[in-house]
Amino acid sequence: MKLILLGAPGAGKGTQADILCEKLDIPTISTGNILRAAVKNGTPTGLKAKAFMDAGQLVPDEVIIGIISERLEEPDCAKGYILDGVPRTIAQAEALEKAGIVFDSVVSLEVSDEAICERMSGRRVCESCGASYHVAAVPPKTEGVCDKCGGKLIQRKDDAPETVKSRLEVYHKETEPLKAFYAERGLLKTVENQPTVEAVSQAILRVLGR
Ligand code: AMP
C-alpha cells in the first residue's frame, strides 16, 4: 500500500499516519519530521531549511525531492508507505511520478481553515520522535511526555497563529492543486472532518476499502 495523506497543516495527517502505519504495518514518511530532525542536528539540509520553516514557507522543491528519493530507497519502504506532508507542490508530485513511483490512493483530509486555527494552538509534538498530540483531543498519558519514547513534548514554533495563517495561504496556493492532479489520475479520495480522531481513522480505512 503506497498512500499519500493530503491536507492543510493541522488537518491531522501526522496523527492519522501514526494510527494507519500501525494498522497497515508500513512506515510513515513525514518530510516535516525529517526536516525538524535535520534542523535540530544542524545538518547542511537543516541549515538550508530552517528559515523557510520558521516563516511558514515551503522548503525548495529540490531539497525535498532529494530527501524523499533517498528515504524511499531504504529497505523498510519495500512493502509500502504513507507519505505525510509530501508531495506539497505539483513539481514534487511530478518528480515522484518521473521517478516511477506509483501510488494506490491519495486521501485528502478536509478541515476548514477556522477549525485548523483553533486546533493548532493545542498541538504538541515530541521533540525526539516527532509524534503528535493535542492537549484536549489526543492528550499524552503524562502531561508533557511522549507516550512512545518518553521525549519532551513541545509546541512547534511554526504553530504560532501568524505563521499558521501563512501556512494556510501556502497550502491553498501550492498544495491544494494536488487534489485535481491526483483526481485526474483516479486516485483521490476525500475524508470530511469527524468529531473524533478514531472516527477519522475509520473513515480513511473505509475509503481505502479496509
Ligand atoms: P509539516 O510538519 O508537514 O507541517 O512541515 C513543517 C514545515 O516543513 C513546512 O511548513 C515546510 O516549511 C517544511 N516542509 C515539510 N514538508 C515539505 C514539503 N514536502 N515541501 C516543502 N516544504 C516542506
Side-chain angles (χ1 to χ4, degrees), residues 4-7 13 29-32 64 83-88 92:
I4 297 175
L5 286 183
L6 275 184
K13 301 184 297 296
I29 299 166
S30 154
T31 39
I64 300 294
L83 298 191
D84 159 16
V86 67
R88 239 172 166 110
Q92 292 175 19

Side-chain angles (χ1 to χ4, degrees), residues 31-95:
T31 39
N33 284 352
I34 294 172
L35 288 167
R36 277 184 288 280
V39 169
K40 197 173 155 206
N41 295 328
T43 69
T45 300
L47 294 175
K48 254 186 253 169
K50 187 176 185 311
F52 295 102
M53 294 174 77
D54 285 349
Q57 298 298 312
L58 294 183
V59 171
D61 287 329
E62 61 272 19
V63 176
I64 300 294
I65 292 165
I67 291 176
I68 192 80
S69 321
E70 216 172 82
R71 180 65 185 88
L72 293 182
E73 276 173 19
E74 286 180 31
D76 64 331
C77 292
K79 55 182 179 174
Y81 39 77
I82 301 166
L83 298 191
D84 159 16
V86 67
R88 239 172 166 110
T89 63
I90 296 282
Q92 292 175 19
E94 286 174 344

Side-chain angles (χ1 to χ4, degrees), residues 26-196:
I26 47 178
T28 293
I29 299 166
S30 154
T31 39
N33 284 352
I34 294 172
L35 288 167
R36 277 184 288 280
V39 169
K40 197 173 155 206
N41 295 328
T43 69
T45 300
L47 294 175
K48 254 186 253 169
K50 187 176 185 311
F52 295 102
M53 294 174 77
D54 285 349
Q57 298 298 312
L58 294 183
V59 171
D61 287 329
E62 61 272 19
V63 176
I64 300 294
I65 292 165
I67 291 176
I68 192 80
S69 321
E70 216 172 82
R71 180 65 185 88
L72 293 182
E73 276 173 19
E74 286 180 31
D76 64 331
C77 292
K79 55 182 179 174
Y81 39 77
I82 301 166
L83 298 191
D84 159 16
V86 67
R88 239 172 166 110
T89 63
I90 296 282
Q92 292 175 19
E94 286 174 344
L96 290 170
E97 207 167 67
K98 258 201 205 132
I101 297 166
V102 182
F103 294 95
D104 298 298
S105 287
V106 177
V107 176
S108 174
L109 303 180
E110 303 288 327
V111 183
S112 70
D113 286 8
E114 235 185 355
I116 296 275
C117 290
E118 273 175 31
R119 237 184 230 188
M120 297 298 248
S121 61
R123 172 153 77 175
R124 300 292 180 271
V125 296
C126 173
E127 69 172 359
S128 302
C129 76
S132 324
Y133 297 84
H134 185 279
V135 288
V138 195
K141 291 192 185 97
T142 308
E143 200 186 318
V145 180
C146 179
D147 292 349
K148 297 196 175 83
C149 74
K152 184 176 164 202
L153 300 186
I154 54 162
Q155 187 158 25
R156 277 169 49 172
K157 205 171 166 185
D158 61 348
D159 280 350
E162 272 316 299
T163 317
V164 169
K165 247 173 100 189
S166 321
R167 292 166 67 203
L168 281 171
E169 279 168 23
V170 170
Y171 168 74
H172 291 302
K173 183 159 171 268
E174 305 283 349
T175 309
E176 214 166 12
L178 287 175
K179 288 201 257 177
F181 180 93
Y182 287 116
E184 271 169 30
R185 285 150 179 79
L187 297 176
L188 186 75
K189 297 173 169 89
T190 55
V191 167
E192 297 299 327
N193 195 19
Q194 306 289 326
T196 63

